[in-house]
Amino acid sequence: MVALAGRFAPSPSGPLHLGSLLAALGSYLQARAQGAQWYLRIDDLDTPRVQPGAERAILDALVHFGLVWDGPVLRQSSRREAYRRAIRWLKRHGHAFDCGCTRREAQDGTHGIEGPVYPGTCRGGLPDGREPRSVRFIVDSRVRAVNDHVQGVYTQRLDRDIGDFVIRRADGITAYQLATILDDHEQGVSEVIRGADLLSSTPRQIALYDAFDWAPPAYGHLPILVDAGGEKLGKSTGALALESHAPGAQLYRCLVLLGQDPPPAFQTASVARVLAWATDNWSLERVPATAQMTL
Ligand code: GLU
């Protein structure tokens, strides 16, 4: 039997905020309530967005909130060779192709759910005189269904909704969609609990698992926290600073948002007590099945 494992995969583009604490706590509790491993991965591939000191701040904050991970931290920046091998494999097996289109040219197709659908220009081979810029994954017309443990059934037809998508960007960086599945597979992650802003990425990730003939993990997408203007909480949109002097109270607040109905006495309890109660009483079914919650 495959051991159960969950993970939290923050990008070190800023410190932990209430929205990312919510995702960390939800994935931690879902793993720990099942006696599973809980891993930490740092998504530091997109180097222009990496902020010096952010990784340290995230790790310290997780420890402060009692969310202690198993094993070594996996950094995407240490996995570049594995990504290169996987891209070669996908190209050799007819799942991916070199694309010479500029961003403008790639936008000449119909409109999908996240923007233009790639028109297919380089799918059959690079046109004469074109240099490879990016690498794209070939999608098909199957309906991809995610049976999400929080949001319910979510479907996409990748050819119509997304199009052949980039797995290596023109700047040479492996795209998130591919890196995340290679890393989740490497760490033996069997259940991915993360923010609902990534639900629309999941059919692409399932298609990649299929190409490698690997079983995808189970998924649960937690509501993300947005401000009154509908913006995702984050550094750039005025994230609330975590009040580090009252970590138990912040965890309590997250548990309320996650629908767990913690006893009010926990507002002043220690991190250890809140987490012990939350692990014993955790129920993913009680998490609101909405994509967003306004704070
Ligand atoms: N690094 C991504 C983020 O911070 C999350 C990736 C994932 O959970 O798959 O939004």
Side-chain angles (χ1 to χ4, degrees), residues 3-280:
L4 278 172
R7 51 67 157 181
F8 177 52
S11 305
S13 50
L16 211 65
H17 52 82
L18 196 66
S20 40
L21 179 63
L22 192 88
L25 179 64
S27 74
Y28 173 90
L29 291 172
Q30 177 68 4
R32 294 303 190 217
Q34 301 177 81
Q37 300 290 101
W38 187 64
Y39 298 124
L40 181 61
R41 184 180 88 214
I42 298 292
D43 284 0
D44 58 355
L45 259 196
D46 195 347
T47 33
R49 288 184 58 228
V50 169
Q51 204 194 79
E55 178 189 320
R56 185 74 261 154
I58 291 171
L59 266 56
D60 288 349
L62 289 172
V63 171
H64 187 63
F65 286 103
L67 305 177
V68 179
W69 56 93
D70 294 302
V73 175
L74 182 68
R75 288 181 188 79
Q76 291 196 319
S77 53
S78 72
R79 300 260 302 142
R80 292 198 173 100
E81 187 45 43
Y83 303 151
R84 265 196 289 273
R85 270 203 311 275
I87 290 170
R88 272 202 301 273
W89 189 94
L90 287 169
K91 283 187 357 187
R92 214 171 38 241
H93 289 82
H95 293 294
F97 61 91
D98 284 332
C99 176
C101 297
T102 61
R103 188 184 286 261
R104 264 249 330 270
E105 290 164 335
Q107 291 181 350
D108 287 346
T110 54
H111 214 72
I113 57 176
E114 278 185 17
V117 171
Y118 178 69
T121 321
C122 305
R123 209 188 217 212
L126 276 178
D128 276 350
R130 297 313 287 264
E131 290 295 317
R133 292 171 56 87
S134 58
V135 179
R136 289 179 183 271
F137 180 78
I138 298 175
V139 299
D140 60 26
S141 59
R142 238 179 301 174
V143 174
R144 300 267 173 193
V146 187
N147 189 5
D148 192 81
H149 289 177
V150 178
Q151 306 289 335
V153 176
Y154 175 80
T155 59
Q156 270 178 9
R157 235 187 73 181
L158 290 173
D159 64 333
R160 203 181 48 201
D161 297 333
I162 299 288
D164 294 343
F165 58 89
V166 170
I167 53 175
R168 185 168 65 219
R169 301 175 359 187
D171 60 8
I173 294 177
T174 304
Y176 156 72
Q177 307 292 353
L178 178 62
T180 197
I181 78 114
L182 295 174
D183 295 340
D184 284 337
H185 180 76
E186 171 75 12
Q187 289 194 297
V189 169
S190 55
E191 192 165 25
V192 169
I193 304 293
R194 60 186 174 191
D197 52 330
L198 294 169
L199 181 59
S200 67
S201 288
T202 309
R204 267 166 281 181
Q205 294 172 17
I206 290 176
L208 285 165
Y209 276 104
D210 258 10
F212 288 109
D213 209 12
W214 297 337
Y219 292 96
H221 286 85
L222 308 171
I224 59 160
L225 300 184
V226 296
D227 62 21
E231 285 291 309
K232 185 184 177 187
L233 287 197
K235 212 178 139 277
S236 52
T237 52
L240 305 183
L242 292 167
E243 289 163 43
S244 55
H245 58 274
Q250 295 292 346
L251 290 177
Y252 173 88
R253 192 163 176 213
C254 288
L255 289 172
V256 172
L257 290 165
L258 289 168
Q260 302 300 300
D261 205 11
F266 281 126
Q267 278 175 83
T268 52
S270 68
V271 154
R273 282 197 56 218
V274 179
L275 286 180
W277 179 89
T279 307
D280 284 349

